[in-house]
Amino acid sequence: MNALVGFQLIDDGTAASIGLICASAAALFIGTGYIALDTGFDWTGRFQSSHEPPNRNIALYVLYQLFPLVCLVLFYLLEAVLVLRVLGEFRPMLYLTGAGILFAIGQVFNYVISTHLCQATDGKINGALFETLFTLLSVSGVWGFWSSITEDDWPLPVGGGGYN
């Protein structure tokens, strides 16, 4: 939804655009939360099969892992179209591509390197520390991307005193 707002189909910052973004986030949160809680507490028995080996819950995997990944790829593609075709800029894509690479590095730490770190340090450190760091850097890269494609200048205090 955030990438679509950039195309100005609905003015950004309006109640409609914020409502659509919040509604889509709430739907994903409620759907994933329900499946996770129903799996853990076995309220309905619908996901009972995930308690038996190989302990797989396909619905939870799709909503928690696969769908957000698809959304990230779609965000990147939509923003690439917006920046390259509509705005005719190239430099903002460097920020967005850098953010994507940093996010991918964080995921490698989370899913690949984490077990090796955990074994090497007897469980004292795992990849979550580095995954969080690279995700933070990725979010900063997306902010830099957003800042480079917007026209507004944000007022910054001049001098060391701040606002009075």
Side-chain angles (χ1 to χ4, degrees), residues 39 42 45 47-57:
T39 300
D42 198 24
F47 303 104
Q48 182 64 33
S49 62
S50 64
H51 292 278
E52 300 162 8
N55 301 104
R56 292 186 181 158
N57 188 327

Side-chain angles (χ1 to χ4, degrees), residues 28-67:
L28 184 63
F29 177 76
I30 291 168
T32 305
Y34 167 74
I35 292 172
L37 290 171
D38 192 16
T39 300
F41 294 115
D42 198 24
W43 291 330
T44 64
R46 171 71 177 97
F47 303 104
Q48 182 64 33
S49 62
S50 64
H51 292 278
E52 300 162 8
N55 301 104
R56 292 186 181 158
N57 188 327
I58 301 301
L60 193 58
Y61 171 76
V62 167
L63 284 177
Y64 187 68
Q65 297 285 320
L66 194 59
F67 182 72

Side-chain angles (χ1 to χ4, degrees), residues 1-2 17-33 63 67 71:
M1 292 307 298
N2 194 8
S17 67
I18 293 172
L20 285 172
I21 290 172
C22 289
S24 64
L28 184 63
F29 177 76
I30 291 168
T32 305
L63 284 177
F67 182 72
C71 287

Side-chain angles (χ1 to χ4, degrees), residues 65 100-121 125-138:
Q65 297 285 320
I101 291 169
L102 288 168
F103 181 77
I105 291 170
Q107 296 307 303
V108 167
F109 268 101
N110 194 34
Y111 291 109
V112 178
I113 300 173
S114 184
T115 56
H116 303 291
L117 280 174
C118 199
Q119 289 171 356
T121 61
I125 297 176
N126 65 11
L129 169 75
F130 300 104
E131 187 267 338
T132 303
L133 172 67
F134 282 106
T135 300
L136 172 66
L137 294 173
S138 175

